[in-house]
Amino acid sequence: MTNGPTLLGIRHHGPGSARAVAAALAQLRPDVVLIEGPPEADRLVELAAEKDLVPPVALLAHVVDDPARAAFWPFAVFSPEWVALRYAVDHQVPVRFIDLPAAHTLAEPGTDPGPAAPGGAPGVGVGEGEGTGTAEAEGAGDGPGPDPIAALAAAAGHDDPERWWEDVVEHRAPGADALAPFEAVAEAMTALREGTPTGRRDALREAYMRQQLRAAHRAGHRRIAVVCGAWHVPALRELPTVAHDKALLAGLPKKVKTEITWVPWTHRRLSQHTGYGAGIDSPGWYHHLFTAEGDTVARWLTTVAELLRAEDHPVSSAHVIEAVRLAETLAAMRGRPLAGLTETLDAVRAVMCDGSEVALALVHDRLVVGDALGEVPDSAPAVPLQRDLARLQRSLRLKPEPADRELVLDLRRELDTERSTLLHRLRLLGIDWGAPSRSAVNSTGTFRETWQLRWEPEFAVRVVEAAQWGTTVEGAATGKAVGAAERAGELAELTALAERCLLAALPAALPAVMRLLADRAALDTDIAQLAAALPALVRALRYGDVRGTDGAALADVARGLAERICVGLPTACTGLDQDGANAMRSHLDAVHAAVGLLASENAAEHTERAPGHVEHTEHAAEDPIADRWAAALHALAAREPAGGPATGAPGLLRGRAVRLLLDDGRLGTEEAGRRLGLVLSPGGTPADAAGWVEGFLAGGGALLLHDTRLLALLDDWLVGVRPEAFTDLLPVLRRTFSALEAGVRRTVGERVAAGPLGSAARPAAADTAVLDEARADAALPALARLLGLPPAPVRIPRQADRRSG
């Protein structure tokens, strides 16, 4: 130790390496510990001694002027770097991080400091394969280097690198000489690096680390312990000249201003091979290997049995005993020193899960990976927005959890309203901690909300990014909403934003959004754009009512949009092609529902202003907006293409308008039947008639069962369609009838098969149609084979009509 630093080459996030590092440090008793990691974290080292800093955690560094340029360095309990850090803190030994500073590695946009991260992939520190593994970094450096573990496993005659590493390292107990494993690993890495070119990123990192070793010597330290990826050990053992390293580092990009802090991490994130993961397939299993004291397999299988029993699987203590025996037997048969994860899971599948992959998937998700979430003390550096969010999480009793959790809110309760407001504000900021979902409880009221909550570690970066808009959650959401309104390109974006402002209770942002919305609505002449914008405004009015917010300005804009849609709707629907008609039909349904809600809101407003006056309420029920909308639908329904398709509205929209009027009671069934008869008459085109029927029946076909005249008209029309036209109409007809309820389709089929329908007269040609006997005879041999009949000619009666034939 007095002649040079002791290099402890490790595998990142390896429990065996972590135990070996602990034993080596206890034997060496160094006077300084150097760890591969960003030097900016040196000022955060003392926080590792606090009991509130609970792994898994990560160092988060970001560029002050561009928070999106950020990187994580994750640590778990079983990470060798964390073991070294805790040893230094507990024994009051100086500790330093010696890798490239984040100020350099984050200086170039799109460049990830991956290889500098101690929380890299579960390898030994190879080129770009280490590090946080962001997608941007995959092509940013020199490309992935070789996999040292795979190379060593192949040299040993093993085809599975992970299994070989478990047998050689993870299952090996520390011996009398704690340094012996590191000497063996260093020798192996030296042999592997011979003839292997060093990438530029690795060369820069290793040059910087060598400089830090020299600085430690100059500071008077003589017992220096260095914890780094094993791949870097040969480069740190042979020190070139100082001038050589300075020349290499001269090409580093100019530093940028960065900040660094501790943030919570999760085992599930450690298991991911992309994004800010670490590529560990089994962090929960690794945690068990590192923390369990003896009988690791038996303890693990006992935990598995507890999980399965909690999920109503019949697992007893006898199952545990048999599973332990099977796992040990499998390990002996496979020539392994101890049962590993593969043998353990095989035993669980066979003994406890009865071969079920579903139950085994539960074990893998809950225990092999796990949902552990770390904790960070309040004393850790944080932006003001993060502190305000933490305060709100405590006061609202919304603890971040890594597992999916359903949260049902009753907005009539003050606490639930505040929770809803927080979640909506965070969504505005791009922090999707909660996602709205459908509740299992049937409720049509606006007072109930259901959320699916799941906290992701990356939200720490998004909080830093959102800090540019304000120092509190409310202030940041307000600033973000106003900025988004100024950049909105379409009217629908502004209406959706106004709805979100009401949901998030942002009174300071709503006036600015409404001003821009009113200006844009006054200039927009596209009816489709107006129709797309109206539903969000009306929904916002309902949400405003349940939250007690003032939506007067919103209601004025909504009524103005509705009036303009009523005026321009018939003209906007003229001459549309099939795609345009389908899009306009969606707008038609949405606006119809929005007008109904707007009318009910207006009626409720009049009732509240004049309670006890029945005539006032009745007058309010006849809302002028609803009347104008009905008039627009009447005009659309009558806009037939007399001079060709370009002169009228498509049948899809005319039929839909008739159906909406019929459902609202503004059109009688007799009149609807008359219009259907006109459309289905020989004077109309089959394609237009099929579109009209599709629009008319969309949303439910029960009216065909209640009014047999409508069904008879439709049946007669289908029977009379020419064969060549029927083939062209078949896709539309199938789409129309497949959208009906299953019970309706079955009943309609039964009624048609039962006999004549209603009083509608059938064309005489339907009963006197002439059968083409030559074509029928040609099909008889194939029909006989299908029915299993002898190949003799089969004759059938010649009196079948078109429908039965």
Side-chain angles (χ1 to χ4, degrees):
M1 288 296 295
T2 58
N3 296 328
T6 300
L7 303 175
L8 305 179
I10 52 91
R11 188 189 192 198
H12 299 300
H13 302 303
S17 290
R19 284 192 299 269
V21 166
L25 293 177
Q27 176 179 320
L28 294 171
R29 292 182 295 172
D31 58 8
V32 67
V33 176
L34 305 182
I35 302 175
E36 181 184 329
E40 291 93 340
D42 287 348
R43 61 188 179 88
L44 302 178
V45 165
E46 64 274 7
L47 293 177
E50 297 194 17
K51 63 179 181 179
D52 293 334
L53 187 64
V54 181
V57 292
L59 290 168
L60 165 62
H62 68 275
V63 178
V64 175
D65 296 331
D66 186 7
R69 288 157 60 187
F72 292 93
W73 287 262
F75 295 83
V77 169
F78 49 83
S79 299
E81 299 89 349
W82 178 258
V83 170
L85 180 60
R86 285 306 307 262
Y87 173 89
V89 171
D90 293 342
H91 293 80
Q92 298 182 349
V93 175
V95 59
R96 301 286 184 270
F97 288 99
I98 61 171
D99 213 330
L100 276 178
H104 284 305
T105 54
L106 290 174
E108 298 178 359
T111 300
D112 175 56
V124 292
V126 170
E128 300 294 330
E130 192 185 342
T132 56
T134 58
E136 294 83 2
E138 291 177 358
D142 303 343
D147 183 354
I149 295 178
L152 293 175
H158 287 256
D159 58 354
D160 190 335
E162 291 299 320
R163 182 176 297 180
W164 175 83
W165 182 264
E166 275 194 352
D167 292 346
V168 175
V169 178
E170 305 302 341
H171 293 162
R172 180 185 179 279
D177 184 4
L179 297 180
F182 296 105
E183 290 295 331
V185 171
E187 182 179 354
M189 292 300 112
T190 300
L192 286 175
R193 289 192 63 149
E194 291 180 358
T196 301
T198 302
R200 178 176 176 273
R201 293 284 299 278
D202 267 350
L204 291 174
R205 296 175 57 222
E206 290 164 354
Y208 192 88
M209 285 191 273
R210 289 192 293 263
Q211 282 197 343
Q212 300 309 303
L213 293 181
R214 298 186 185 100
H217 275 291
R218 290 195 300 269
H221 298 295
R222 293 297 176 263
R223 299 193 309 277
I224 304 173
V226 181
V227 179
C228 64
W231 183 258
H232 306 301
V233 169
L236 301 184
R237 176 173 287 181
E238 302 295 334
L239 297 180
T241 63
V242 176
H244 174 272
D245 288 342
K246 284 186 176 180
L248 279 177
L249 296 174
L252 282 174
K254 185 179 180 181
K255 285 186 176 182
V256 292
K257 186 178 180 181
T258 59
E259 291 182 353
I260 193 167
T261 187
W262 290 105
V263 295
W265 206 250
T266 67
H267 276 175
R268 193 169 301 279
R269 182 59 67 197
L270 284 172
S271 69
Q272 295 189 356
H273 290 258
T274 58
Y276 287 111
I280 305 172
D281 294 326
S282 52
W285 168 255
Y286 276 11
H287 184 274
H288 174 77
L289 288 181
F290 185 73
T291 57
E293 298 179 359
D295 296 329
T296 56
V297 174
R299 293 174 182 270
W300 172 262
L301 291 174
T302 301
T303 306
V304 171
E306 293 176 355
L307 170 64
L308 293 176
R309 280 197 294 267
E311 297 294 332
D312 295 330
H313 291 272
V315 179
S316 66
S317 57
H319 287 87
V320 178
I321 296 172
E322 291 301 322
V324 172
R325 290 175 178 173
L326 179 57
E328 293 174 347
T329 303
L330 289 173
M333 293 176 61
R334 295 168 180 174
R336 307 194 66 182
L338 291 173
L341 180 60
T342 303
E343 289 72 30
T344 305
L345 290 180
D346 288 344
V348 169
R349 180 192 292 108
V351 178
M352 297 184 179
C353 300
D354 295 327
S356 171
E357 294 294 337
V358 176
L360 187 67
L362 175 67
V363 174
H364 186 276
D365 183 70
R366 298 280 186 86
L367 297 180
V368 177
V369 177
D371 286 317
L373 175 65
E375 298 180 11
V376 173
D378 294 337
S379 55
V383 294
L385 179 61
Q386 175 62 56
R387 297 193 182 281
D388 185 59
L389 175 58
R391 176 187 62 81
L392 291 171
Q393 289 171 334
R394 288 192 299 269
S395 63
L396 299 179
R397 300 194 294 276
L398 277 177
K399 183 180 180 181
E401 298 175 353
D404 288 327
R405 170 194 172 195
E406 184 178 78
L407 179 67
V408 180
L409 302 178
D410 186 342
L411 301 182
R412 295 171 297 187
R413 299 171 51 196
E414 182 179 358
L415 176 62
D416 284 358
T417 300
E418 293 178 355
R419 287 175 169 178
S420 172
T421 298
L422 173 62
L423 294 174
H424 280 295
R425 287 173 177 174
L426 291 177
R427 282 176 60 82
L428 252 176
L429 294 173
I431 305 170
D432 295 328
W433 177 20
S437 65
R438 286 185 173 273
S439 174
V441 180
N442 292 327
S443 175
T444 58
T446 57
F447 62 86
R448 188 183 301 278
E449 284 185 351
T450 304
W451 296 81
Q452 286 292 332
L453 302 184
R454 184 188 183 116
W455 185 263
E456 299 287 356
E458 287 86 348
F459 292 159
V461 175
R462 298 181 188 175
V463 170
V464 176
E465 291 178 332
Q468 62 179 304
W469 300 104
T471 57
T472 65
V473 174
E474 180 179 1
T478 298
K480 180 73 176 292
V482 174
E486 294 173 349
R487 296 189 302 273
E490 296 183 356
L491 185 61
E493 294 181 35
L494 282 171
T495 56
L497 186 59
E499 179 183 12
R500 299 181 70 181
C501 287
L502 277 177
L503 292 171
L506 300 176
L510 195 56
V513 175
M514 291 305 304
R515 183 178 63 255
L516 292 170
L517 175 60
D519 294 343
R520 186 70 59 83
L523 298 175
D524 203 328
T525 58
D526 190 339
I527 297 300
Q529 292 284 347
L530 298 178
L534 181 63
L537 284 180
V538 177
R539 286 196 306 269
L541 284 173
R542 298 188 74 201
Y543 293 136
D545 288 344
V546 77
R547 285 171 168 78
T549 56
D550 184 11
L554 207 60
D556 292 340
V557 176
R559 292 190 184 96
L561 286 181
E563 291 179 356
R564 295 177 60 192
I565 293 172
C566 292
V567 171
L569 179 68
T571 303
C573 294
T574 301
L576 295 177
D577 59 9
Q578 185 63 42
D579 293 337
N582 289 331
M584 186 59 74
R585 178 204 150 183
S586 300
H587 292 318
L588 205 64
D589 289 342
V591 171
H592 184 74
V595 168
L597 292 175
L598 194 60
S600 63
E601 292 290 333
N602 192 32
E605 180 182 352
H606 280 75
T607 304
E608 181 180 357
R609 291 180 180 177
H613 293 274
V614 178
E615 69 279 8
H616 199 155
T617 304
E618 292 176 350
H619 177 71
E622 299 176 0
D623 188 86
I625 293 295
D627 294 337
R628 291 174 185 173
W629 175 246
L633 291 178
H634 276 292
L636 174 60
R639 207 173 185 87
E640 298 180 358
T647 62
L652 177 69
L653 300 182
R654 302 197 324 273
R656 193 63 191 149
V658 171
R659 177 60 184 272
L660 295 177
L661 291 169
L662 179 64
D663 289 345
D664 276 359
R666 293 179 179 269
L667 194 70
T669 56
E670 290 294 329
E671 176 63 17
R674 187 186 71 82
R675 294 184 182 232
L676 176 60
L678 291 175
V679 171
L680 301 181
S681 65
T685 62
D688 184 71
W692 199 99
V693 171
E694 181 182 4
F696 184 71
L697 295 182
L703 56 88
L704 294 178
L705 305 180
H706 299 302
D707 192 337
T708 56
R709 181 172 179 271
L710 296 179
L711 181 57
L713 286 170
L714 188 59
D715 184 54
D716 290 340
W717 172 70
L718 285 174
V719 171
V721 172
R722 299 186 305 276
E724 60 274 13
F726 184 84
T727 302
D728 296 335
L729 296 180
L730 191 57
V732 178
L733 296 174
R734 292 190 63 180
R735 181 172 66 243
T736 300
F737 286 97
S738 65
L740 301 181
E741 304 88 332
V744 172
R745 292 200 306 269
R746 182 175 60 254
T747 306
V748 166
E750 292 172 353
R751 291 191 178 181
V752 170
L757 297 169
S759 59
R762 302 186 184 281
D767 294 327
T768 61
V770 178
L771 181 66
D772 189 337
E773 296 187 10
R775 295 181 61 190
D777 290 341
L780 290 180
L783 182 61
R785 287 195 297 271
L786 291 175
L787 297 176
L789 299 176
V794 178
R795 308 300 298 177
I796 62 172
R798 300 304 187 187
Q799 287 79 23
D801 63 16
R802 290 186 60 182
R803 290 193 304 153
S804 60

